[in-house]
Every structure is written in structure tokens, then in C-alpha cells.
Amino acid sequence: MMALRLVVAVLLLITCVPWCVNSQLPHRPVVGMTMVKNSTATALGAYCLDGSLPGYHFSKGFGSGARNWLLQFEGGGWCNDVESCMERAKTRRGSTHYMTKVEAFSGILSNNESLNPDVLDIDSAATIALAMIYVQNLIMTYFYNWNRVKLRYCDGASFAGDSKFDNGTSVLYFRGQKIWQAMILDLLPKGLAHAEKALLSGCSAGGLAVFLHCDNLSRFLPRNTTVKCLSDAGFFLDIKDVAMHDTIRSLYHGVVTLQGVEQNLDKNCTSSLVDPKLCFFPQHVLSYIKTPIFILNTAYDMWQFHNILVPSSADQRKEWKYCKYNVSTCTDSQIQKLQDFRQEMLEASYSFYTHSTSGGMFINSCFAHCQSEQQETWFAADSPRLHKKTIAEAVGDWYFERNETKLIDCPYPCDSSCHNIIPA
């Protein structure tokens, strides 16, 4: 009887965690920047756009997570011509000289046990035996105590380029692929070489980097390392904008051509398409990724809404001005365009949804961009939910293979759990 009471008490604690998190979130830990060793960077030619050394933020794991690793690609858009890359090189997006030297870790990177756990969802049909097994292994299934690394972004091509611009006056280093390799080589002697579990994640342009490098990480690690990938807001769609222009395809074409990305794209993908550069789009490369991957995205991604579906170049008459910043002002025809955009995303990921046996999905109907890095959306009392699961819980179910996790929300405006939801 005593054992039963203990199990019940633990179950109550487990199931209440998302709702028991204090609304007054504690101070986020700050982690200093580590520069890639000069010898490693020089040997590979791994430099930021302006020639500065690349850097990352490393928080060492402890306890049961001491041999597990979470690597997070930073996001921040792209540059697709010499002019835009020159401008970028003068900012934190192209040079470590301008970056903050400390970063606050939150969301999936948090080291707080109550804010970044992996919580088993025990329903009414769960048995005491299952609960006992879970309680015994509870300490083994947390993310907060893993080695956590934020890989700073300073190349403008989602860590995938390998070329150089030099006109005799100005020099730009397009070395994202080399930066990625240099960072991994820098981390291997710090424990990554002995990783038991690894999760490669990233947001936005960093989420795209996950698709591009997902299969690559395991090549550096022991054969028995469990390697999986999580792309947050990185499923950028290859679609026309509202004016029927190929705005995003043109942008990506410029990035791939300028920065020498094509040589680093998936060879199976590039050999299968008339235009190999399209393999920079996740929807074209997804079917060739062998490593288990989780797609976290909103069906109405705000960055894609504003820059792919309705870029300023496609809205010369400013008909979308108010709709873009307040969905409640959208006309019926504009809402239909948004619903069509959602449908495009579902169709682009349909084969993955139906055929992938190792993949996971969490596609909600919020108007947001990046949900794993912010505590409020990753795991908190009022976090977005699908089937009563927070994003953190869904990712945990998938990573630890408790059940198939492919969750797709109903169309806007049905989801009341979204942050800053605007009534229809």
C-alpha cells in the first residue's frame, strides 16, 4: 500500500508539472562564448563573413545527462548577393566581433529541471506497472542536464556554404560548412566524442540547417550514439507569393549560387532534380534524410507569411498591411490565402507524415515563428498544446520512442492555446 501511495504521489507530481510551473519564470542562466580554436579554424578556413573566428556557447551537462548532447543552430536569415552579405558582415549576423559574448539559455536550452523536463503523459488507462517503470527511469529522461550548445550563426547560408569573394578591395568568407565542421571538431574533445545521445536542433535559418546537416552529425560520433534532429520553424516552403512570383526560390537560388552551397547539398537529392539548387528547400530534401527528424512548425509561420507568402514586393498597394499584423482585420479572401498556405505545408510534408516510421511532427495553428527557444511556448503553464501535449512533451514522446508523435492542428482559428491568439 505504501508503494502504491508513493507511485500515485509521483504520478500526480509528473502530470501536474506543466500546470505547476510558476508563472514568474526564474532568471535564465547566461553562458559565455567560446571561440573555435584558431588552429582548427585556420586549418579548415572556417571564418565568419568578415573573417572573424566563429564561436559557440557551451553549458556542460551533469548527472544523468553528462554524456548526452543538445546542439542548437542559431537562426537569422540569409544573404544572397555581395551587397547584402557586405552589410551583414558588419553585424552580429556576419561577425563574432558584434555578437553578445553571453547568451541566456531558455526553452529547450534551459538548465532548470522544472522548465525543461521530459514528462511522460500518463492517461487514465496507464497501469501502475507502467508508472513504476517510468518512475525508475525518470532521472534518465530529462533534457535540462544535457550538454547544451548554441552554435552562433555568422555565414548567411544556414551553415552550408563553402566559397570566397575577393575583388581585391573587399573579402567575404562564405564558409558555413567549414564553420559547422570546425565547431564539431572543437567539441569532440570536450566530450562530444563519447556522446550516448545527441539531438541536433535549430530555429528558423538554423532550423533549415538541421535539414541540411541532420545526416552529417552521426559521422563524427560513435556508432552506438542515438542521434536525432529537431527543426523548429525551418520548413520553408517552395511556393509562389500572392503575386505569383517565385520570391523565396529566387532568394535561395542567390544564396546557393553565391556561397557555393550546391556542392554541400544532399547528393541523392541534387541528382534527382532538374534544378539541384532546390535541395536547399526542406520539402525537396526531406525524403532523403535517414536520421530520425522532428518537424516543429506553425501552419501559419509568421516569417513565411510576411516574407514568402506576402513579401513587400508582392503587396505594392499595401492591401495586406493590416492583415499581416492583425489577423482579425483580414478579409475573407486573405484568410483563404492563409488557409491555402497551410494546405501547401501539409501537402509538402504529407509523404513524411504517412510513411516515416521514425519521424515526428507538431504542426499547430498559431501565428508564431520559433517555439522551442522561448520558455512560454516550449514548456509553461499556458504553452500551446496539441492533444493536451506541450511541445516539450511531444518532442519527449518522440525522442524516447514512447509512441508515434505526429500531431497536426485544426485550421485557424480553432486553437485557443496559441499565444497572443487574435480572435477571428
Side-chain angles (χ1 to χ4, degrees), residues 275-295:
D275 183 0
K277 296 178 179 63
L278 292 180
C279 293
F280 197 63
F281 282 98
Q283 69 196 77
H284 298 305
V285 74
L286 181 58
S287 62
Y288 299 100
I289 297 174
K290 299 179 178 63
T291 306
I293 188 168
F294 190 100
I295 300 173

Side-chain angles (χ1 to χ4, degrees), residues 45 47-49 51 82 161-167 170-175 257-260 263:
Y47 303 112
C48 296
L49 284 173
V82 171
D162 189 7
S163 64
K164 180 181 176 180
F165 170 81
D166 187 348
N167 65 0
S170 302
V171 178
L172 286 170
Y173 295 89
F174 303 126
R175 298 291 174 77
T257 301
L258 176 69
Q259 299 213 31
Q263 61 187 314

Side-chain angles (χ1 to χ4, degrees), residues 74-78 88 93 99 151-159:
E74 183 181 29
W78 311 269
R88 188 181 179 96
R93 297 302 186 194
M99 291 181 182
L151 308 174
R152 298 304 296 269
Y153 183 35
C154 65
D155 63 276
S158 289
F159 295 84

Side-chain angles (χ1 to χ4, degrees), residues 181-408:
Q181 294 170 358
M183 287 179 171
I184 295 300
L185 293 177
D186 219 51
L187 290 165
L188 287 174
K190 297 181 179 181
L192 182 59
H194 306 290
E196 294 179 354
K197 294 183 176 68
L199 178 62
L200 179 65
S201 67
C203 159
S204 194
L208 173 57
V210 170
F211 286 104
L212 302 178
H213 294 295
C214 185
D215 282 341
N216 185 249
L217 177 58
S218 60
R219 298 170 189 170
F220 295 92
L221 305 180
R223 289 185 178 182
N224 61 347
T225 304
T226 299
V227 180
K228 298 187 179 183
C229 305
L230 164 65
S231 173
D232 178 7
F235 200 77
F236 296 98
L237 292 176
D238 179 18
I239 62 169
K240 294 182 182 296
D241 61 32
V242 292
M244 299 305 292
H245 298 149
D246 288 312
T247 300
I248 187 62
R249 184 179 285 197
S250 177
L251 171 66
Y252 277 5
H253 189 282
V255 173
V256 173
T257 301
L258 176 69
Q259 299 213 31
V261 173
E262 185 176 331
Q263 61 187 314
N264 298 318
L265 298 176
D266 186 280
K267 298 299 185 292
N268 292 319
C269 180
T270 56
S271 63
S272 69
L273 297 179
V274 175
D275 183 0
K277 296 178 179 63
L278 292 180
C279 293
F280 197 63
F281 282 98
Q283 69 196 77
H284 298 305
V285 74
L286 181 58
S287 62
Y288 299 100
I289 297 174
K290 299 179 178 63
T291 306
I293 188 168
F294 190 100
I295 300 173
L296 167 60
N297 238 96
T298 77
Y300 310 96
D301 183 278
M302 285 297 286
W303 192 93
Q304 296 196 55
F305 175 15
H306 289 193
N307 297 278
I308 295 180
L309 183 63
V310 193
S312 56
S313 61
D315 187 32
Q316 298 292 330
R317 297 171 61 181
K318 308 296 182 184
E319 294 175 346
W320 286 80
K321 177 180 178 180
Y322 298 106
C323 174
K324 287 171 73 170
Y325 296 99
N326 187 339
V327 184
S328 66
T329 68
C330 296
T331 64
D332 290 344
S333 62
Q334 288 171 333
I335 289 294
Q336 186 56 55
K337 287 287 187 182
L338 289 171
Q339 302 298 18
D340 292 343
F341 175 81
R342 171 183 178 272
Q343 189 60 34
E344 291 267 12
M345 179 168 289
L346 298 184
E347 290 177 2
S349 58
Y350 180 74
S351 180
F352 176 80
Y353 177 78
T354 55
H355 298 303
S356 176
T357 57
S358 62
M361 295 177 73
F362 190 102
I363 309 295
N364 57 3
S365 291
C366 303
F367 286 84
H369 183 64
C370 293
Q371 300 179 90
S372 65
E373 295 180 341
Q374 301 300 316
Q375 193 61 54
E376 293 79 4
T377 47
W378 172 247
F379 188 78
D382 60 347
S383 292
R385 285 176 167 74
L386 278 180
H387 299 180
K388 299 182 179 181
K389 290 183 183 292
T390 62
I391 294 169
E393 291 172 299
V395 171
D397 280 352
W398 162 76
Y399 189 93
F400 296 105
E401 301 177 3
R402 288 192 287 265
N403 54 53
E404 184 178 44
T405 307
K406 292 178 181 175
L407 308 178
I408 298 178

